[in-house]
Amino acid sequence: MQTILSIGIDALAYGMILFVISIGLSVTMGLMRVVNLAHGAFAMIGGYVASYVSRDLGLGYAPAILAAVVATIVIAAPIERFLYRRIYGAPKLTQVLMTIGITFCIIGLANYLMGPTLKTIPLSDVLQQPVDLGFRSISAHRLFAIFCGLAVALCLWLAIEKTGFGIRLRASVDNAAMASALGVRTEIIYAVSFAVAVGLAAFGGVVGAELLPVEPYYALRYLVTFLVVVSVGGAGSIGGTLLACLLLGAVDTTGRYLLPEFGEFFFYLAVIAIICVFPNGLMKGAK
């Protein structure tokens, strides 16, 4: 029973970290209709900025998170304005080629500016403290990651489903020309949505650095994982992405606990099985 509870806690933390990083990709793919393969690169930028602020400048963990989110949005804003706007509504292959090119450019610049080494993000003293759950002790950071995932899911759902901005975003997705004719500034809607997506990527890159270390090829190493999570959950579905992260996180964590020599075998086996039953994603209906 102790092992089962330990697996459950670690799986929940891992799943929530995947969710915080991946939900931005779900927004761009499902709501903005952009196959953004550079999403992991923006998470990597956030990790690098946080590492510099907390480790080199010594400003602490909270300022590092804030700096990472703000800096990533500032860096991404001109990229969205001059590159991404050219591929909104373009064929998928064009989007893939453009965004994978952006990924390699960011990787090259990151290696040149920050060096080809793994970057650490020191946690605050509070987050390093162990928390006794009765059956085991875990770091407060794991609980913080779980809380962040739940908070992001709730805030995004409220923003998209219960606000005027969410209504305009859905209208722009369904029929951009009609929405524009009715006075919706679609370019601003897309810019804000993109900023939120990359901001969440940066936030997740910092919070999840303990489980997904920030290193020079982070953007490529975890790209498939992020894409898989969004595909399994259903692009654009907050609930689907959350469910996919929790389910795949549980499978992967259980496999690593019980049969670590198999690596990610069970993770991708679960992906294949889910896609066979739910080809459009968990929240898009079974076959």
Side-chain angles (χ1 to χ4, degrees):
M1 179 58 68
Q2 182 176 352
T3 300
I4 293 175
L5 293 174
S6 295
I7 292 174
I9 291 295
D10 288 340
L12 182 59
Y14 179 52
M16 285 301 184
I17 288 171
L18 280 181
F19 173 76
V20 174
I21 301 176
S22 302
I23 189 59
L25 179 59
S26 181
V27 169
T28 54
M29 288 183 62
L31 298 181
M32 298 174 64
R33 304 289 193 265
V34 176
V35 182
N36 183 20
L37 298 189
H39 187 76
F42 294 114
M44 183 181 72
I45 291 174
Y48 272 107
V49 171
S51 176
Y52 177 76
V53 170
S54 61
R55 185 169 58 89
D56 299 335
L57 299 182
L59 296 181
Y61 191 69
I65 292 178
L66 180 61
V69 173
V70 172
T72 303
I73 292 175
V74 170
I75 292 171
I79 296 177
E80 189 275 337
R81 174 63 181 84
F82 297 107
L83 295 179
Y84 277 85
R85 288 193 189 182
R86 297 175 180 270
I87 60 173
Y88 291 152
K92 300 301 182 185
L93 179 59
T94 301
Q95 297 177 352
V96 167
L97 293 175
M98 170 72 83
T99 55
I100 200 66
I102 293 172
T103 298
F104 280 109
C105 288
I106 292 175
I107 289 174
L109 287 172
N111 276 272
Y112 176 75
L113 295 174
M114 306 297 291
T117 58
L118 186 146
K119 301 299 179 182
T120 59
I121 304 174
L123 298 174
S124 65
D125 293 338
V126 173
L127 294 182
Q128 292 183 41
Q129 296 299 318
V131 176
D132 188 6
L133 299 180
F135 57 93
R136 63 169 286 190
S137 293
I138 65 171
S139 69
H141 177 260
R142 296 290 178 95
L143 297 180
F144 175 68
I146 294 171
F147 171 78
C148 288
L150 294 173
V152 167
L154 177 61
C155 291
L156 268 182
W157 181 80
L158 290 174
I160 294 176
E161 299 293 336
K162 302 296 182 179
T163 67
F165 174 81
I167 294 173
R168 290 190 290 272
L169 173 59
R170 296 197 303 274
S172 300
V173 169
D174 292 336
N175 193 325
M178 180 61 71
S180 180
L182 292 174
V184 176
R185 299 287 298 276
T186 55
E187 67 278 4
I188 295 179
I189 295 296
Y190 281 148
V192 172
S193 300
F194 188 82
V196 171
V198 299
L200 287 173
F203 179 64
V206 178
V207 174
E210 292 292 304
L211 295 178
L212 303 178
V214 180
E215 44 90 17
Y217 291 96
Y218 178 102
L220 294 178
R221 183 181 301 276
Y222 302 114
L223 172 61
V224 174
T225 301
F226 302 150
L227 285 173
V228 160
V229 165
V230 173
S231 299
V232 169
S237 171
I238 297 173
T241 303
L242 178 60
L243 181 59
C245 288
L246 294 177
L247 180 58
L248 295 177
V251 171
D252 192 37
T253 303
T254 302
R256 292 179 186 277
Y257 259 86
L258 303 181
L259 295 169
E261 64 274 13
F262 279 80
E264 296 181 332
F265 170 79
F266 294 105
F267 179 89
Y268 289 105
L269 181 63
V271 170
I272 294 171
I274 293 171
I275 292 299
C276 286
V277 179
F278 301 92
N280 298 316
L282 290 171
M283 292 298 187
K284 296 297 181 69
K287 181 171 62 176

